[in-house]
């Protein structure tokens, strides 16, 4: 154990004298002393362990787990139900901290990760919402892979665990949500694809052995969790009232993809209740869906202290013991917190839960650690054993962080002659705004310590002479220094304004109340633009969207960029885009609503679909037909892309099983919903949509081709929804063919009110940009 651990942020309260002592000891130690990883079955250090079945790597994992559980007393078992798991020294098992985070880089939120002199920081990729805007699955997977390499490297020197509670795959349902930044946006298809790519990037080993994990990922927060703290609604006590249809076609798909398609090692249940039951104590949601239907190979963990919340905040149970018993019986394996550790023994004694249920839970936890190699002895002698501090913050990983930010940045407005700025004509630049010289703001939440920062000012100043003014007294911008900012703007060739938020405005436990730029930011932007002589670029640094209608309509504001929270290399990426060294191709992963939207929609209303009787407008581009400031998928380029349809069927005929009830003629006439997707015969039908995409402009660029569909208007189906996307990179005048395989059952079905997925018969409209193609499905 290195003394350097004592300097981590989580130990900030440790006394000065400890630090001084530690400092002295560290200096007096030889410089080649390294901290070592935690692992069990150190057979070479303790030969007696070789006789334990759970340490024998040649045995099947299941047999090893059974052997291990069989050796533990009930008290010891209970020690493995919680995130700070106790060690059992007689068996050579060290204490283990389950809670590590890696949302967009190895993060020290949670206690499983520490930074030290040996590894002072890790690569901080853009916050997820910006990476999602790249719509590039290979980029997402590459980031996951870089993060897991850094994680393993830190584990090898005792600075990280192996179990990471990332990604967050909740749907960004309401624009005010403070944690929207952590998610891939509002669309279930994109969120599912993001989840699969990131989880694979984290988990998959180079050898490709599905029984091994590089690190264990965790999809959270299951489920229908996307209110933190809004007015008097708080996540600990919020009961999300969700109908089955929204559950099945909006909230559940990303989790299902995590488990079924990415083979994620863990799912975390949320704080909130769903339809009156705490998710962490709901046997249908946990054992029923995750474990039995989706066949999770791994463990289910609670959000931190949420078992306690079930009792203490929700009063769902009369006693702590009951809360612990109910959650274990529902299928929870690990409690993030200590509550289950404190009350499980009493729960067993009271007959609320038996020892075999506890065995089942800890077996899932142990099985995951087995796949990670935790019980295989010295990790230095295993796969990834040669990773170490040199592999953290590598040049390649830091370059990938810059590339990810470039690929995500979204160009929302660009008047002729504005961007890109030409350094030969723009000699002086004013860089104004509370985020103009941002550091920590760029990395959003669930962050670690980055390798370094390049601020927007530093990025821009590397190309032209740049003068900085923060414009506002702070992010909330209660006071704006209009005089100095406008004077500066009037004296330079161009202006870049960096506005938006930081974690004081949108964060976990902090939802927004409105969609306006904070305080006097709007006034500052407007006045600066008015005073400027040349191009004015407004860059919004934020997690969520804003009502910036004023800027959209202001001719003096010649360009608008959304830069998310762009990560440690944000300033480099922003400068690359502004000076045209990189042609932007990011697309919004969420709707930007007008302020009037949030004035009429309570955050607590979970319904995705509109309700004409109450005037409720519905949510996200799939159901909301009202006015937007910017729409899902918006994003321009410095070049122009055209689409042409090469091939798509006009008619798809389905064949039904002999036995299918829809063989009787009244099936079709009841409504236009066809066969259930669960029965195989009709589902096999597949066709291809082929498109030609051409870069019609004079510079290289990347373009995301979206294939949307509008199903027949039955069962309150979506206005349109995203079936597929593919990003292509094309040189000037270059063209490419993009092919999408469409599965009739998976892609052209709709979910009815009671959660059945059925093929909608009749006319489906396919959209690619402004291209529309009508397709008929008949039985
Ligand atoms: C333990 O409890 C579970 C769940 O209630 C039950 O299915 C099982 O039969 C019990 N096992 C024993 C050995 O009593
Ligand atoms: C910008 O931020 C960097 C990093 O915090 C700091 O070193 C630099 O002095 C700041 N620049 C100005 C002009 O304030
Ligand atoms: C947000 O930015 C302001 C300065 O503009 C700063 O005072 C504050 O500490 C920041 N808050 C967080 C949580 O980053
Ligand atoms: C997707 O990202 C990868 C990794 O950065 C990159 O090599 C590739 O060019 C990107 N694809 C497109 C179409 O931009």
């Amino acid at each position: 154990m290195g003394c350097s651990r004592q300097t981590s942020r989580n130990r900030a309260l440790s006394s000065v004298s400890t630090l001084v002592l530690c400092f002295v000891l560290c200096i007096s130690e030889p410089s080649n002393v390294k901290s070592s990883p935690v692992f069990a079955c150190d057979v070479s250090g303790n030969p007696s362990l070789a006789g334990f079945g759970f340490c024998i790597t040649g045995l099947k994992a299941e047999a090893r787990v059974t052997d291990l559980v069989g050796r533990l007393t009930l008290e010891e078992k209970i020690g493995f139900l919680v995130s700070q798991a106790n060690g059992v020294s007689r068996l050579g098992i060290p204490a283990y901290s389950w809670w590590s985070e890696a949302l967009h880089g190895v993060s020290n939120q949670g206690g499983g990760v520490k930074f030290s002199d040996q590894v002072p920081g890790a690569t901080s990729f853009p916050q997820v919402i910006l990476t999602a805007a790249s719509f590039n699955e290979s980029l997402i997977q590459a980031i996951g892979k870089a993060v897991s390499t850094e994680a393993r490297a830190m584990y090898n020197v005792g600075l990280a665990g192996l179990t990471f509670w990332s990604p967050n795959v909740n749907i960004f349902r309401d624009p005010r949500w403070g944690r929207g930044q952590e998610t891939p946006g509002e669309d279930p298809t994109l969120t599912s694809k993001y989840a699969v790519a990131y989880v694979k990037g984290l988990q998959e080993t180079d050898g490709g052995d599905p029984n091994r994990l590089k690190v264990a990922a965790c999809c959270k927060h299951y489920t229908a969790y996307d209110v933190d703290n809004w007015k008097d609604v708080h996540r600990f006590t919020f009961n999300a009232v969700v109908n089955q249809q929204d559950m099945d076609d909006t909230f559940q798909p990303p989790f299902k993809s995590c488990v079924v398609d990415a083979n994620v090692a863990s799912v975390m249940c949320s704080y909130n209740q769903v339809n009156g039951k705490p998710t962490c104590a709901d046997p249908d949601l946990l054992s029923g869906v995750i474990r039995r239907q989706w066949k999770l190979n791994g463990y289910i963990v609670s959000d931190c202290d949420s078992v306690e919340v079930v009792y203490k905040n929700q009063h769902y149970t009369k006693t702590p013991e009951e809360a612990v018993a109910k959650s274990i019986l529902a299928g929870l394996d690990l409690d993030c917190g200590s509550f289950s550790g404190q009350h499980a023994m009493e729960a067993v004694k009271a007959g609320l839960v038996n020892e075999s249920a506890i065995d089942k839970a800890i077996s899932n936890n142990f099985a995951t650690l087995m796949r990670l190699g935790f019980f295989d002895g010295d990790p230095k002698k295993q796969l990834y054993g040669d990773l170490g501090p040199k592999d953290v913050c590598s040049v390649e990983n830091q370059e990938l962080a810059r590339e990810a930010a470039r690929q995500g940045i979204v160009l929302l407005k660009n008047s002729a002659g504005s961007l890109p700025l030409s350094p030969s004509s723009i000699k002086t630049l004013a860089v104004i705004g509370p985020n103009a010289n941002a550091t920590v703001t760029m990395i959003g939440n669930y962050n670690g310590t980055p390798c370094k920062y390049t601020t927007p000012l530093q990025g821009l100043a590397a190309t032209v002479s740049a003068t900085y003014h923060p414009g506002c007294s702070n992010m909330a911008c209660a006071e704006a220094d209009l005089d100095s900012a406008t004077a500066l703007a009037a004296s330079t060739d161009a202006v870049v304004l960096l506005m938006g938020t930081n974690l004081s405005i949108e964060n976990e436990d902090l939802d927004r109340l409105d969609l306006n730029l904070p305080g006097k930011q709007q006034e500052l932007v407007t006045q600066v633009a008015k005073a400027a002589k040349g191009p004015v670029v407004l860059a919004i640094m934020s997690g969520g969207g804003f009502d910036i209608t004023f800027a959209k309509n202001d001719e003096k504001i010649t360009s608008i960029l959304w830069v998310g929270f762009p990560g440690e290399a944000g300033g480099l990426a922003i400068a690359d885009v502004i000076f045209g060294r990189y042609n932007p191709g990011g697309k919004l992963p969420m709707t930007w609503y007008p302020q009037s939207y949030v004035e009429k929609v309570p955050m607590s209303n979970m319904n995705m679909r509109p309700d004409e009787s109450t005037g409720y407008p519905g949510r996200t581009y799939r159901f909301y037909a009202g006015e937007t400031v910017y729409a899902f998928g918006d994003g321009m380029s410095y070049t122009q892309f055209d689409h042409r349809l090469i091939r798509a069927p006009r008619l798809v005929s389905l064949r039904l099983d002999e036995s299918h009830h829809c063989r009787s003629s009244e099936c079709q006439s009841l409504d236009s919903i066809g066969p259930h997707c669960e029965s195989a015969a009709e589902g096999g039908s597949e066709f291809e949509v082929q498109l030609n995409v051409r870069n019609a402009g004079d510079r290289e660029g990347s373009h995301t081709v979206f294939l949307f569909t509008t199903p027949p208007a039955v069962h309150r189906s979506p206005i349109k929804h995203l079936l597929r996307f593919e990003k292509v990179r094309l040189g000037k005048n270059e063209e490419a063919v993009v092919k999408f395989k469409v599965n009739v059952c998976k892609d052209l079905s709709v979910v009815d009110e009671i959660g059945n997925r059925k093929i909608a018969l009749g006319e489906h409209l396919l959209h690619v940009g402004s291209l529309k193609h009508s397709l008929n499905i008949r039985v």
Side-chain angles (χ1 to χ4, degrees), residues 436-439 453 455 457-458 468:
N437 198 28
T439 53
Y453 292 108
T455 74
L457 174 65
Q458 290 164 343
Y468 163 65

Side-chain angles (χ1 to χ4, degrees), residues 130 133 408-415 418-419 517 536-549 551-553 557-564 577 583-593 628-638:
L130 189 74
I409 290 172
V410 183
L411 179 64
L412 291 169
K413 173 179 179 179
N414 199 17
S415 311
S418 182
L419 286 178
L517 287 178
V536 176
V537 180
L538 169 62
I540 306 287
M541 187 179 288
S542 69
F546 285 89
D547 184 346
I548 48 165
T549 309
K552 209 176 154 178
N553 296 336
I557 300 168
T558 51
S559 300
I560 302 177
L561 293 168
W562 176 64
V563 303
V577 166
N583 183 359
K587 307 273 187 186
L588 289 183
M590 75 298 204
T591 306
W592 286 34
Y593 299 86
T628 61
V629 179
Y630 289 107
F632 176 87
D634 274 0
M636 305 160 70
S637 164
Y638 296 151

Side-chain angles (χ1 to χ4, degrees), residues 136-140 142 400 403-404 407 582 701-703 727-730:
N136 182 344
E137 290 167 78
S138 50
L139 171 71
I140 297 161
L400 188 62
E403 173 65 15
Q407 288 196 32
Y582 188 85
S702 284
H703 175 65
K727 195 170 199 182
V728 288
R729 187 160 192 83
L730 295 174

